[in-house]
Each structure stands twice: as C-alpha cells, then as structure tokens.
Amino acid sequence: MVSVVYKAPDSIQAAISILSEAEIATKILAGGTDLLIQMQGLVNESRLFVDIKKIPEMMQATLGDQGLDLGPSMCCAEFTAREDIRAVYPGLVEAAFLIGSTQVQGRASVGGNLCNSSPAADTIPALMVNAAICVIAGVKGERSVSVEEFVTGVGTNCMEKGELLKLIQLPRPAKNTSDAYLRFIPRTEMDIAVAGAAVSVTLDDEGVCTAARVSIGAVAPTALLVQEAADALIGTKLDDKALQAAGDAASAAASPITDRRGTVEYRRHVVGVLTKRAAQIAATRARGN
Amino acid sequence: MSKTHVTTTINGDVTEFLCEPADTLLSVLRNELQLTGTKEGCGSGDCGACSVTVNGRLVCSCLVLGVEAQGAEIGTIEGIESAEKLHTIQEKFLEHAALQCGICTPGLIVSTKALLDENPDPTEEEARYYLAGNLCRCTGYDKIIRAVLDSAKVMRGAA
Ligand SMILES: Cc1cc2nc3c(=O)[nH]c(=O)nc-3n(C[C@@H](O)[C@@H](O)[C@H](O)COP(=O)(O)OP(=O)(O)OC[C@H]3O[C@@H](n4cnc5c(N)ncnc54)[C@H](O)[C@@H]3O)c2cc1C
Ligand code: FES
Ligand code: FES
C-alpha cells in the first residue's frame, strides 16, 4: 500500500484547509471500502488521507418537512436501519442495502458510493430518481449540483482539488409518490450490478401517473436519467403497455459494454426488464402511501 | 515515516500500539498485538475472515486503518469466550461440526455474535443474508447455519 499521512479533522472548515493546503496528493477517507482497496496497488507513493468521519454533520441524517439532509459519510448499516427514512425513500434504502455484505455496510457510505462514481454504484440511480442535490464545499465556498451533473464519467465527478461533498439533499417526495431500485447480479448477494434500474412515480387520486423519473445503472459510463422512459409512464395508469414502453425506452437508452458479467445484448435486455419491474414496485408503494 | 501512537480498547482492555498510518487494523491485530485469531483471507472485503466489531459494528478489519482504532472499542474473536469458558456459539460450532479447515470460523463466530445481538431470533433466510459476507470454502454452509440457529435458540432460552 501507499505511504500514508493520516489526518482526522473535526470540522468541514478544517478538512477544506487541510485539503487545499496539502503538498502531497490527498484522498478523502470515508468508509474506505473503495479507497483502501484502490490504494493497495500503489507502491512508492504517498497520500494524505483526510478522514472525514470525525466531522459530526458528515455522519448525521435528518428527515424533515423539506426532505432528507443526508450526511454523506453515514455508514450504510446505520442508514438502512433508519425506518423513518425507509418509509419515505424505500428505493434508496434498498439500494444502500444491496452494497456488499453486512461488514461492508458497516463502513461503506452513500456519499462514498457517489464520489467513487462507479458506473455500477447501486445508490446513484436511486439518488437520481429522488432528484438528489450534492452540496460541495471548498475554499471558494459552497455550490450545489444535481447527481446527473455531479457524475461525469467512469470513476470521475465534478469535484475539484480541495473540495468535498458535505451534504446530500433529497427533496420531500410529493403525495402518492414512491421509488424502487432493482439490480441484477448472477448470485443473490455480494456482487456488482450487471444492470440496475431505479424508478420513482407520483400518482393522482385516480391512479394516473403525473410524474416519473427513471434511472439506469451499469449500462453506460455513468448512471443515466432516461426521460423517454419517464414519459412512457406519465399520463398512464401504469398498465402493462406503459410499463413495457418504459422498459423498451430504458433498453434503447442503454449503451452497455460486454465484460465477464454480461454482454451488450444481455445487459440491454435486462435493464428493460428491471425498469418495468421497478416501476411496478414503485407504483404499488405509491398506491399504498 | 514516523509511527503513530494509538490508544484503543480491545475486548474491554485498554491497549496501546504503534503503527504506520497505512497499516490495516487486521495487520495491527495480527502482527503488532499477536491477536492472530482474526484471519486474513482476501484483504479486500470479500471473505469476512477478518471480521471484528468497531464500536459495536461488524466490519472487515482489512478495510479499516489501525489509526482509526484511536479511542474506539474493538471486539475480536479473542473476546468472545468469557472466563475461559467457550461461548454458546463456539460450543454449537463444535457440536454441529460447522468447520473443517477453520480459517473462516473466527470471522463467522464474530459475525454470528453480531447477528444475534441485533436479532436474537433470525429466520434461516435472515441468518444466511446477514452472514453472506463470510465465505467458507469447506463446509457448504449448511452445518454453519444449523449451528447459528441452534445457538440462537439456546441463547434465547438462557436470556
Ligand atoms: C466486498 C465489497 C462489495 C461491494 N459491493 C458493492 C455493491 O454491491 N454495490 C455498490 O454500489 N458498491 C459496492 N461496493 C463498493 C462500495 O462499498 C463503495 O462504493 C462505498 O459505498 C464507498 O463508500 P466509502 O464510505 O467506503 O468510501 P471511500 O472508500 O472512503 O471513498 C470512496 C471514494 O470517494 C471519495 N469520497 C468519499 N467520501 C467523500 C466526500 N464526502 N467528499 C469527497 N470525496 C469523498 C474518496 O476519496 C474515494 O475516492 C463493494 C465494496 C466491497 C469492498
Ligand atoms: S480478509 Fe478482510 S474480508 Fe477477506
Ligand atoms: S471451514 Fe474451511 S473455509 Fe470454512
């Protein structure tokens, strides 16, 4: 592993100062489930690790009338145990619950999953359909971007040197709204998505879908918000025909690669099926709300 | 590079050690503190052989830095038995022959303890999902699950 200088500041301000003044390459350390593995391969190099888990607001989640303020570094085990959050954002919670094992969830954070920006990251599609906002802090102050703008490519995002993700904000969903996330892996646990789909739907009192968001993961360099799939759902009662059209739109939007987890054709097909099923689950949940 | 001094609590005892900031907690436990009950399988979070608790939460010690143990409470396999008496989970693993080579066993026992602390009456499915991050290449898991569910039953009776 690399040679490490370790700092654990207790405020965002202090973290930003350390990050911006550092003379060697810096790495923000949250749960370390990506970072420590990535660092194992490096020799004869040094990094300054800034552990952000001693900063109280990075580790808290507050659910209020406006929505959810999620401290990016709260571990998934703590996050998924929050019944209040699950009641409002079940799809996001189920995405976090799919990450690794019990042990991995004891460390891995939603913010780390987002900042690592893997095409297969499970929480990213679920954050997108919930219209999550990333609040980034740096020496020049704060800025807010959508998740779609945040993630820019395979393992890349819009953060610059000296910046950190300080907050993930999810607006409170409208009445009769719910979400769902599904992924496909060849086994039942402990694997990376071959394809994933998150859907959020809003229904009116007659059960007609008035708003929808659809996001697909692991089938393009970044998770994608698929407007055509959402359009296929809006204005319908989410009957089989509408679900099929949404699935077809998701398949059409996918630009997957072939690797040992699946071929292009297979991924394209599976992402459509997942979109259809996730829409169905989100609809069932929205009807119950 | 200078070593960092860390004060932590391991299995209830205040413990101090020196480590490089890049050393994992797993390597500190095994190489500095001679607590070799915690095993290394993969070193990448996949196998669970290195399972310990940090402030009560189950984690892979191969994905935690030693320096992160500062001020924390660490629980390892060495802290599972009490007063030199095996824990019920350990007895049940023996009784059900839930191990062959044994490399996965400390991790599985630490994880089972964490499972039963959280959920004293897990279904078989819940137990299998909770323990999915503990790989065993020998037993085929069936005997492990039987030992886990039997431990749960006995521990509920004793509580
Ligand atoms: C065995 C195993 C199985 C896994 N399975 C899955 C899976 O099924 N699905 C899945 O999506 N992922 C999976 N993962 C990866 C998942 O654990 C990580 O993506 C995790 O969510 C990252 O969070 P972390 O807190 O551990 O981040 P770290 O590893 O600490 O950080 C990840 C990256 O983000 C940066 N970073 C972290 N927080 C911030 C911040 N607040 N501001 C700026 N930068 C930041 C770090 O510098 C680093 O580059 C698995 C990992 C392992 C080891
Ligand atoms: S050695 Fe830590 S999970 Fe395998
Ligand atoms: S007993 Fe050999 S790996 Fe489990």
Side-chain angles (χ1 to χ4, degrees):
Chain A
M1 174 129 133
V2 285
S3 134
V4 169
V5 179
Y6 174 85
K7 294 219 155 78
D10 58 10
S11 73
I12 289 175
Q13 219 39 57
I16 292 169
S17 307
I18 297 169
L19 288 167
S20 54
E21 287 158 22
E23 279 162 11
I24 57 171
T26 58
K27 279 286 171 192
I28 291 171
L29 171 67
T33 61
D34 285 317
L35 183 65
L36 296 188
I37 295 171
Q38 288 157 6
M39 292 295 122
Q40 281 169 358
L42 302 180
V43 282
N44 298 328
E45 287 194 50
S46 43
R47 293 285 184 281
L48 171 63
F49 279 12
V50 183
D51 184 350
I52 50 178
K53 296 190 296 302
K54 300 280 187 281
I55 305 173
E57 58 259 60
M58 298 296 291
M59 307 299 286
Q60 291 161 1
T62 322
L63 184 66
D65 293 342
Q66 298 306 308
L68 176 66
D69 278 353
L70 175 61
S73 307
M74 172 185 273
C75 76
C76 288
E78 188 175 350
F79 179 69
T80 58
R82 285 280 296 267
E83 292 297 338
D84 59 335
I85 299 174
R86 180 188 291 272
V88 184
Y89 309 98
L92 176 59
V93 171
E94 67 201 355
F97 197 68
L98 287 171
I99 293 181
S101 56
T102 312
Q103 287 88 333
V104 171
Q105 286 170 22
R107 295 272 292 174
S109 62
V110 174
N113 199 233
L114 176 57
C115 291
N116 191 59
S117 306
S118 154
D122 283 309
T123 66
I124 296 180
L127 289 168
M128 279 188 183
V129 298
N130 281 293
I133 299 293
C134 311
V135 183
I136 301 167
V139 264
K140 287 180 251 160
E142 282 183 19
R143 59 193 178 110
S144 295
V145 299
S146 66
V147 176
E148 303 85 274
E149 294 165 298
F150 182 86
V151 183
T152 52
V154 179
T156 60
N157 55 55
C158 75
M159 279 187 299
E160 285 161 20
K161 179 175 155 39
E163 287 190 320
L164 63 79
L165 176 66
K166 67 168 267 194
L167 182 65
I168 303 171
Q169 282 182 314
L170 277 72
R172 184 101 194 172
K175 189 171 154 251
N176 299 334
T177 299
S178 199
D179 66 337
Y181 174 74
L182 290 176
R183 74 166 183 194
F184 177 76
I185 57 174
R187 47 200 301 250
T188 49
E189 267 284 85
M190 296 286 288
D191 207 344
I192 306 292
V194 170
V199 177
S200 158
V201 294
T202 304
L203 308 179
D204 69 11
D205 294 336
E206 270 72 57
V208 175
C209 176
T210 56
R213 286 169 77 89
V214 175
S215 174
I216 54 178
V219 290
T222 68
L224 296 176
L225 206 52
V226 187
Q227 189 58 46
E228 296 76 16
D231 290 343
L233 300 173
I234 296 167
T236 75
K237 287 201 165 181
L238 304 175
D239 48 82
D240 288 348
K241 200 168 140 245
L243 295 175
Q244 184 62 44
D248 291 346
S251 293
S255 56
I257 55 164
T258 293
D259 67 9
R260 65 198 164 91
R261 290 176 203 285
T263 59
V264 166
E265 296 75 14
Y266 183 66
R267 283 195 151 105
R268 201 184 275 288
H269 174 70
V270 168
V271 80
V273 175
L274 294 174
T275 299
K276 214 159 88 177
R277 290 184 189 166
Q280 224 155 13
I281 297 169
T284 306
R285 287 175 177 162
R287 288 181 194 117
N289 274 357
Chain B
M1 182 126 313
S2 69
K3 292 204 172 197
T4 306
H5 179 257
V6 175
T7 307
T8 186
T9 304
I10 300 182
N11 302 325
D13 297 329
V14 175
T15 308
E16 296 180 45
F17 61 82
L18 289 174
C19 70
E20 299 286 354
D23 289 344
T24 62
L25 177 58
L26 173 63
S27 127
V28 169
L29 290 171
R30 291 184 54 85
N31 303 326
E32 292 295 318
L33 302 171
Q34 277 70 54
L35 291 170
T36 53
T38 304
K39 302 302 179 195
E40 174 161 19
C42 61
S44 57
D46 292 289
C47 76
C50 65
S51 298
V52 302
T53 56
V54 176
N55 296 329
R57 209 176 275 297
L58 188 67
V59 300
C60 297
S61 59
C62 69
L63 294 184
V64 178
L65 295 176
V67 286
E68 293 184 73
Q70 173 63 41
E73 304 248 352
I74 312 293
T76 72
I77 184 66
E78 285 86 356
I80 297 281
E81 63 168 31
S82 49
E84 307 207 349
K85 195 181 159 313
L86 291 184
H87 190 280
T88 305
I89 300 168
Q90 293 171 309
E91 281 174 352
K92 289 295 169 192
F93 266 66
L94 288 172
E95 196 182 310
H96 288 270
L99 61 149
Q100 288 176 30
C101 79
I103 193 92
C104 68
T105 313
L108 267 159
I109 288 174
V110 169
S111 301
T112 301
K113 170 91 176 12
L115 163 67
L116 301 182
D117 285 347
E118 265 177 52
N119 179 0
D121 192 8
T123 62
E124 175 172 341
E125 192 182 359
E126 284 168 345
R128 284 187 185 269
Y129 269 99
Y130 193 95
L131 299 173
N134 290 90
L135 302 188
C136 173
R137 301 311 302 264
C138 302
T139 65
Y141 300 103
D142 237 51
K143 291 178 171 188
I144 292 173
I145 294 299
R146 268 181 255 165
V148 170
L149 297 178
D150 196 15
S151 303
K153 198 164 138 202
V154 171
M155 287 162 67
R156 283 198 306 279

